[in-house]
Amino acid sequence: MRKSFYSIVTMVLFLVSCSQKSTDKVSSTINFPKGFTQTLVLGTETSANKQGSFEEMSYVHFQLDEVTADSTFVFTGKVTRMQYKSDIFGEKESLDTEVIQSLNSTKRLSATELEMYNDIKQYLDKEFTLTLDKYGNIIKEAQFKGDDSYLYDTSFVDQYTPVPLAFPKEKLAVGTTWDFNTENPLIASQKIKYVYTVDDITEDRIFVDVEMTIDGFAGMLKKNKAKGIYEIDRKTKRFIKGERTMNIQTGGGKAIYKIYEL
């Protein structure tokens, strides 16, 4: 009986210790090493619904050029590949810029696919710069490099950053919560609010719950929410992977937004 009692107590203590969250407090500043490079893949996909489905992916390479005396981080970025696949009302389209470039031919593209490719091809591997503060906030927005930079629309790359979430000034601990407000890069009047909460901290990772609220639009769409979790490197704040999921208001199904390092 006594042996059985001690076995139960030992098991309970083990389960409790396993379920406890970290009590660590860690710096909230980014700490990328000299020469840091990373390729992030950013994608959106929808599950099939009455209207169909689509998937798009952008591959964006970042290189840290400079860390200034006041701890700002200057990056060069470039979009190296884009993929698109859709099946809308039975009409199927697909595009992969890497395949097109390797074949050096657009003969296999439909008229719609060719139009899409012509819209984006000039931006592939076109370098742009942006500057972040030590918390990951963009303090100097993306600008294309080169004497012909005025020919390029920066809205094409405004959404890309090597730090997909900006951190608060306070140290990070389990339960730390902070907000970030912005607007839809395509529709400036549509406000977006992010609420981040640290879910757990391990020896080498920080797990952050994310809830995004996006305003309705023009009476056609109601306010909507997306929820997910991000995984961040504890020391450098390098983004490792994450996703958010949102219900689609028209036609049903879900939209999933993913980011991960290549």
Side-chain angles (χ1 to χ4, degrees):
M1 177 71 74
R2 179 174 295 179
K3 185 176 181 180
S4 176
F5 172 76
Y6 285 131
S7 297
I8 293 173
V9 171
T10 301
M11 180 60 69
V12 169
L13 291 174
F14 173 76
L15 293 173
V16 169
S17 66
C18 289
S19 64
Q20 286 180 337
K21 300 281 188 175
S22 169
T23 58
D24 291 354
K25 291 186 177 182
V26 299
S27 169
S28 61
T29 58
I30 60 178
N31 185 32
F32 297 129
K34 184 178 180 180
F36 172 80
T37 63
Q38 183 184 40
T39 296
L40 288 177
V41 182
L42 303 94
T44 303
E45 65 179 85
T46 66
S47 56
N49 60 26
K50 296 178 181 179
Q51 297 178 348
S53 62
F54 81 91
E55 180 178 359
E56 60 180 358
M57 309 284 283
S58 297
Y59 297 68
V60 189
H61 180 77
F62 293 102
Q63 175 181 309
L64 177 60
D65 295 330
E66 181 185 5
V67 181
T68 66
D70 59 348
S71 297
T72 61
F73 294 74
V74 182
F75 286 89
T76 290
K78 61 181 179 179
V79 179
T80 60
R81 181 183 184 184
M82 299 190 77
Q83 296 172 293
Y84 178 82
K85 182 170 60 177
S86 68
D87 183 355
I88 307 297
F89 298 119
E91 293 291 330
K92 297 184 178 181
E93 306 285 353
S94 64
L95 180 73
D96 187 332
T97 60
E98 186 173 83
V99 173
I100 295 170
Q101 291 175 330
S102 65
L103 295 174
N104 194 28
S105 173
T106 59
K107 290 182 179 179
R108 298 182 182 180
L109 302 181
S110 68
T112 302
E113 292 166 349
L114 180 60
E115 182 179 1
M116 291 171 57
Y117 180 64
N118 286 335
D119 285 341
I120 64 176
K121 65 180 181 180
Q122 63 179 324
Y123 292 96
L124 295 172
D125 295 313
K126 179 64 177 176
E127 292 185 336
F128 60 92
T129 63
L130 75 162
T131 304
L132 311 181
D133 68 12
K134 63 183 179 180
Y135 300 106
N137 296 291
I138 298 175
I139 56 176
K140 188 175 181 181
E141 295 184 350
Q143 295 180 333
F144 283 104
K145 292 184 176 182
D147 295 336
D148 61 348
S149 61
Y150 66 93
L151 297 174
Y152 295 83
D153 184 359
T154 56
S155 66
F156 184 82
V157 294
D158 280 346
Q159 61 183 305
Y160 302 133
T161 170
V163 184
L165 75 163
F167 296 96
K169 293 182 178 180
E170 64 185 291
K171 287 189 173 183
L172 302 175
V174 171
T176 300
T177 298
W178 68 100
D179 300 344
F180 179 76
N181 296 287
T182 185
E183 59 271 333
N184 188 331
L186 302 178
I187 308 171
S189 61
Q190 193 174 39
K191 305 303 180 184
I192 301 175
K193 179 180 181 180
Y194 293 90
V195 178
Y196 300 109
T197 304
V198 176
D199 177 69
D200 200 6
I201 299 174
T202 67
E203 290 185 359
D204 60 352
R205 297 286 190 270
I206 302 173
F207 296 89
V208 181
D209 287 334
V210 55
E211 180 177 281
M212 182 193 80
T213 302
I214 183 168
D215 282 351
F217 176 70
M220 296 182 292
L221 296 174
K222 298 178 180 179
K223 183 180 288 189
N224 205 352
K225 289 183 181 292
K227 295 182 178 181
I229 191 165
Y230 291 167
E231 186 174 334
I232 314 294
D233 180 74
R234 172 173 172 153
K235 181 178 179 181
T236 64
K237 309 308 177 295
R238 185 185 89 254
F239 195 93
I240 298 172
K241 64 180 179 180
E243 68 174 47
R244 305 187 305 265
T245 302
M246 173 185 288
N247 291 325
I248 298 175
Q249 295 184 27
T250 56
K254 295 184 180 296
I256 302 173
Y257 180 69
K258 299 179 179 179
I259 313 175
Y260 58 90
E261 64 176 352
L262 195 62

